[in-house]
Amino acid sequence: MQLFRYGPAESQVGDLHLPKAAHAPVICLLHGGFWRLPYARDQMTPLAEDLTRRGYAAWNLEYRRIGEKGGGWPGTVQDVYDGIDLLAKFSDHGAELDLSRVVTVGHSAGGHLALWSAGSRRLALDARPSRVRVMAAVGQAPAADLMQVYERNLSKGVAQEFLGGTPKEFPDRYAAASPRALLPLGVPQLLVHGSEDDCVPVEMSRDYVAAAQKTGDKVDYVELPGAGHFEHLDPKGEAWKAVTEWLERVLKGAFPT
């Protein structure tokens, strides 16, 4: 594992886990925690290690969170955008990556960021063009609809903290930041959600999948009966098995050997 920096802030870093084989597809991991400190990328390290055993490169990305300077809108999503684009420079450090096969995978708030990253490649936050295209996205119990995060008052008003106010005050922010509002994303997607999730209600994923499919997006959905919110972080669990099986199908289907 190697640590790389994509900006001057302490949190603008990521861990690159490389498999033995060169020219591997890249899975960009994005942790949850409702975009707040102290939750960090160590949540995703077991998944990153499992991915490298399967022959993938894992880019476990950190970002500025609510509670630190620059966290929230737009800094958090800009960090994810910049962190993914850093992959284009890794060849300078001897990492042979297949940048035609980059997939984002995120849990909870990281699921929001994983979906947003796939759609946002058409919506750069500044004039710089994106250098790395996300070709598919996975949301593990994702906070996919920020209007619902606000309306359901999830995590004691985290939507207002993240975006700086209510939808009435900042409708443009909710429209630009919410994957649900960005549909169609135009890439294959997988959502995995436990039926007994008490942090992000399963109805959010059900609604998102129906809306995405209606726009023409190819979206697969796996609902895990009896599962809660944190089973997604277990590399030996059924939730992660659904993700890795989907990754294998999507990557091999798009790029047959």
Side-chain angles (χ1 to χ4, degrees):
M1 186 271 288
Q2 296 175 275
L3 184 144
F4 290 92
R5 178 168 296 282
Y6 63 89
E10 183 178 354
S11 296
Q12 291 174 319
V13 297
D15 299 325
L16 183 64
H17 300 252
L18 291 174
K20 293 180 181 179
H23 208 58
V26 184
I27 313 301
C28 179
L29 296 172
L30 295 155
H31 70 83
F34 278 119
W35 309 282
R36 290 193 181 108
L37 288 171
Y39 307 102
R41 69 189 185 281
D42 62 307
Q43 293 181 347
M44 308 298 277
T45 299
L47 304 185
E49 292 171 346
D50 182 72
L51 287 168
T52 59
R53 287 192 291 268
R54 296 174 184 273
Y56 301 107
W59 176 222
N60 192 7
L61 191 62
E62 193 55 88
Y63 50 85
R64 289 174 293 173
R65 288 140 288 166
I66 299 167
E68 59 186 310
K69 185 177 179 181
W73 180 265
T76 294
V77 292
Q78 183 70 67
D79 282 358
V80 174
Y81 189 92
D82 291 344
I84 292 173
D85 268 8
L86 185 68
L87 290 168
K89 291 186 176 181
F90 280 167
S91 59
D92 297 339
H93 298 272
E96 296 183 44
L97 304 174
D98 184 353
L99 296 186
S100 67
R101 294 188 287 176
V102 176
V103 181
T104 51
V105 175
H107 173 242
S108 193
H112 156 266
L113 295 170
L115 296 169
W116 181 90
S117 299
S120 72
R121 312 319 281 177
R122 334 177 242 110
L123 299 168
L125 297 178
D126 56 34
R128 293 171 296 167
S130 62
R131 296 166 294 169
V132 178
R133 174 181 171 267
V134 174
M135 58 84 64
V138 177
Q140 304 167 287
D145 185 345
L146 295 186
M147 282 296 296
Q148 284 200 44
V149 174
Y150 168 77
E151 291 166 355
R152 294 173 179 270
N153 196 34
L154 297 189
S155 192
K156 300 179 180 179
V158 70
Q160 296 97 298
E161 287 185 62
F162 181 51
L163 293 173
T166 68
K168 185 175 181 180
E169 293 172 302
F170 298 109
D172 291 347
R173 294 183 186 181
Y174 281 79
S178 179
R180 172 68 176 80
L182 294 175
L183 292 172
L185 302 189
V187 300
Q189 299 154 61
L190 168 68
L191 273 69
V192 183
H193 217 124
S195 66
E196 304 305 312
D197 193 321
D198 60 0
C199 294
V200 178
V202 67
E203 290 81 9
M204 191 180 299
S205 281
R206 293 172 183 166
D207 292 346
Y208 176 90
V209 169
Q213 291 174 342
K214 190 175 290 186
T215 68
D217 271 354
K218 178 174 174 51
V219 185
D220 293 310
Y221 178 56
V222 175
E223 187 168 311
L224 301 168
H229 192 64
F230 295 101
E231 287 90 334
H232 299 274
L233 302 179
D234 178 5
K236 296 181 179 179
E238 289 300 311
W240 185 240
K241 180 181 178 183
V243 173
T244 56
E245 289 179 349
W246 186 86
L247 287 173
E248 184 174 357
R249 288 197 306 272
V250 168
L251 290 170
K252 286 188 175 180
F255 299 90
T257 57

